[in-house]
Amino acid sequence: MGSCCSSRIKAESPDRNGLKSNYGSKVSSASVPSTPRTEGEILQSSNMKCFTFNELKTATRNFRPDSMVGEGGFGSVFKGWVEENSLKAAKPGTGLVIAVKRLNQEGLQGHREWLTEIDFLGQLKHPNLVRLIGYCLEDDHRLLVYEFMSRGSLDNHLFRRASYFQPLSWSLRIKVALGAAKGLAFLHSDEARVIYRDFKTSNILLDSSYNAKLSDFGLAKDGPANDRSHVSTRVMGTFGYAAPEYMATGHLTAKSDVYSFGVVMLEMLSGKRAVDQNRPSGEHNLVEWAKPYLTSKRKVLQIFDSRIEGQYSVSEALKAVNIAIQCISNEPKYRPTMKEVVKALEHLVESDSMERSSHSRNQHHRNLNGRSSPNAHKHPKSPIAVKVGKAAPFSPLPSPSPIRT
């Protein structure tokens, strides 16, 4: 629900086909047909509230400018309030806080993405997916109503001006990476079988506790069915994040999302955008710029964000980089699954927790004795070895095909 400096690749019309209905408690009880559904079927089976336009005008104080919390190519997002049980408009500061996305009245394409969002988020339920509460379809008005994510997007925390005064810490970056990875792993699971297709920092939203949730499912696609290896589709997504084989062939797989996750992981480690034309020549594309550093243990720490220097051990840094390296492998078969990425990040979070606990004990020891412990400034060796997939850590990276704008 935020804007991104990277360019959006053109979109296509959505279909919902081949999605399994055995979601258990994570989705609604509505059955999911194996053929594309009509607009009426999607809206009727979503189990969400259908708001009137006047209700959302009241909830957002008539879409006042000071209620706007974000904007992008789709339109604007406004903060509002509704009663928790009835979901009727409430006074500001009372009841349930909501985020209302108001789409620009730009015709058929905007409507298709709006409908796709309802189709997926109306059924998929998971702690790391943003909750879609309802929608409005009235005359030319198309709106979506979400739970409010008070800390905004990961993009804001990494790249906006305020991030230089209050940079996201190492521990929080790894926590956010893990939460986002869990969201993707769920989408790729047998229960959902969905390819997200637009994984990027502006689509990762954070709640008050920095729990990450994926948003904006307008480009999502059902995964391959009937033992097919991929979905053939027109190329869509955001430049800098899309997997090279997808850009070249239009063949979409879950490993396409894995590549995008690796790019976001590099953004979190480096504090640099995936694509930034304001950087010097040769540094516009983050993956291309980082490759020479990623293949050398002596150079790899040079890519790290200087704002978090000293917050991690070398072993933690190498484990995080190893995850990113394998995710952005040029060959999809060498990329890990998101389930494997989740396990690796869980180990990394555990390792980080151990190191912080050890540091806290050493600090307490120094306070008690009035002097430094001999091991106070040494990072303990982590007993956890993080390995993902088949590729060896720091093996030379294949060169991804350049994305043509």
Side-chain angles (χ1 to χ4, degrees):
M1 284 186 273
S3 59
C4 179
C5 72
S6 301
S7 299
R8 185 73 170 267
I9 304 169
K10 64 182 179 180
E12 66 176 6
S13 61
D15 284 337
R16 289 287 284 127
N17 47 49
L19 188 61
K20 291 186 176 179
S21 59
N22 56 335
Y23 290 92
S25 61
K26 292 186 178 180
V27 299
S28 69
S29 59
S31 61
V32 183
S34 58
T35 56
R37 302 193 298 166
T38 66
E39 176 180 308
E41 289 173 333
I42 291 172
L43 297 180
Q44 289 174 11
S45 65
S46 66
N47 291 328
M48 292 182 297
K49 178 177 173 59
C50 179
F51 289 89
T52 67
F53 185 68
N54 282 334
E55 284 178 322
L56 296 181
K57 281 181 63 177
T58 302
T60 59
R61 296 181 293 174
N62 200 26
F63 301 104
R64 280 170 38 171
D66 59 355
S67 294
M68 190 170 70
V69 294
E71 60 183 333
F74 55 82
S76 303
V77 179
F78 297 85
K79 184 178 182 179
W81 291 264
V82 295
E83 295 178 2
E84 290 195 30
N85 296 322
S86 67
L87 297 181
K88 293 181 179 180
K91 294 181 179 180
T94 65
L96 179 68
V97 188
I98 58 173
V100 180
K101 180 193 287 188
R102 185 179 184 183
L103 273 69
N104 289 331
Q105 298 174 7
E106 56 184 16
L108 183 59
Q109 188 56 58
H111 177 74
R112 285 171 174 166
E113 291 193 21
W114 174 87
L115 192 60
T116 300
E117 186 98 349
I118 295 173
D119 197 9
F120 281 101
L121 285 182
Q123 299 178 81
L124 300 173
K125 308 296 179 185
H126 188 270
N128 297 108
L129 303 185
V130 70
R131 178 190 170 205
L132 183 60
I133 297 172
Y135 65 90
C136 172
L137 175 59
E138 187 175 312
D139 298 325
D140 292 330
H141 302 296
R142 286 163 179 80
L143 302 95
L144 296 169
V145 181
Y146 304 86
E147 63 175 317
F148 184 75
M149 302 294 285
S150 60
R151 295 199 180 273
S153 72
L154 175 60
D155 187 89
N156 288 337
H157 286 274
L158 289 178
F159 307 126
R160 303 305 182 190
R161 180 175 298 179
S163 68
Y164 291 89
F165 300 101
Q166 293 182 316
L168 204 61
S169 70
W170 164 262
S171 295
L172 286 177
R173 293 184 196 206
I174 299 305
K175 175 180 180 177
V176 170
L178 176 56
K182 286 181 177 180
L184 268 187
F186 167 70
L187 293 179
H188 294 174
S189 68
D190 288 340
E191 299 98 298
R193 293 174 53 215
V194 171
I195 302 174
Y196 186 46
R197 201 158 40 163
D198 203 18
F199 187 85
K200 58 186 179 181
T201 53
S202 59
N203 284 345
I204 301 172
L205 303 184
L206 309 176
D207 68 10
S208 59
S209 300
Y210 291 95
N211 294 309
K213 300 190 181 188
L214 306 186
S215 69
D216 198 344
F217 280 69
L219 301 186
K221 191 80 173 175
D222 288 313
N226 301 324
D227 297 324
R228 294 181 180 178
S229 62
H230 63 269
V231 176
S232 294
T233 176
R234 288 194 297 172
V235 176
M236 299 166 27
T238 303
F239 290 114
Y241 296 95
E245 76 283 355
Y246 174 51
M247 293 293 298
T249 67
H251 291 175
L252 184 68
T253 71
K255 294 298 182 73
S256 306
D257 282 345
V258 175
Y259 181 92
S260 301
F261 181 88
V263 176
V264 169
M265 191 79 179
L266 277 182
E267 288 184 301
M268 296 177 72
L269 298 179
S270 67
K272 298 179 183 294
R273 288 188 181 276
V275 176
D276 189 348
Q277 301 298 332
N278 293 321
R279 292 198 292 260
S281 177
E283 299 181 17
H284 294 169
N285 184 287
L286 177 60
V287 172
E288 293 294 335
W289 168 78
K291 279 191 304 180
Y293 298 94
L294 297 176
T295 56
S296 169
K297 287 185 178 181
R298 289 176 297 178
K299 294 181 179 179
V300 70
L301 294 183
Q302 296 179 35
I303 75 165
F304 274 66
D305 191 341
S306 60
R307 295 171 296 175
I308 55 172
E309 185 176 358
Q311 298 182 21
Y312 50 84
S313 67
V314 172
S315 64
E316 288 178 323
L318 297 183
K319 290 172 186 176
V321 167
N322 184 37
I323 295 171
I325 286 176
Q326 295 181 56
C327 287
I328 61 173
S329 173
N330 196 50
E331 291 292 334
K333 64 182 179 180
Y334 293 127
R335 296 173 200 156
T337 64
M338 286 310 304
K339 184 177 179 180
E340 291 174 319
V341 171
V342 167
K343 289 182 179 178
L345 285 168
E346 286 176 339
H347 288 317
L348 185 54
V349 167
E350 183 179 347
S351 175
D352 177 64
S353 178
M354 290 170 58
E355 299 225 7
R356 285 187 288 112
S357 177
S358 176
H359 177 77
S360 178
R361 288 196 300 270
N362 286 330
Q363 182 66 46
H364 180 65
H365 181 77
R366 292 198 302 272
N367 291 340
L368 289 176
N369 293 278
R371 58 187 178 85
S372 296
S373 167
N375 296 319
H377 300 288
K378 295 182 180 179
H379 288 286
K381 292 183 179 180
S382 171
I384 300 170
V386 176
K387 293 184 179 180
V388 184
K390 298 179 180 179
F394 301 102
S395 57
L397 286 175
S399 176
S401 302
I403 292 179
R404 299 175 180 84
T405 56

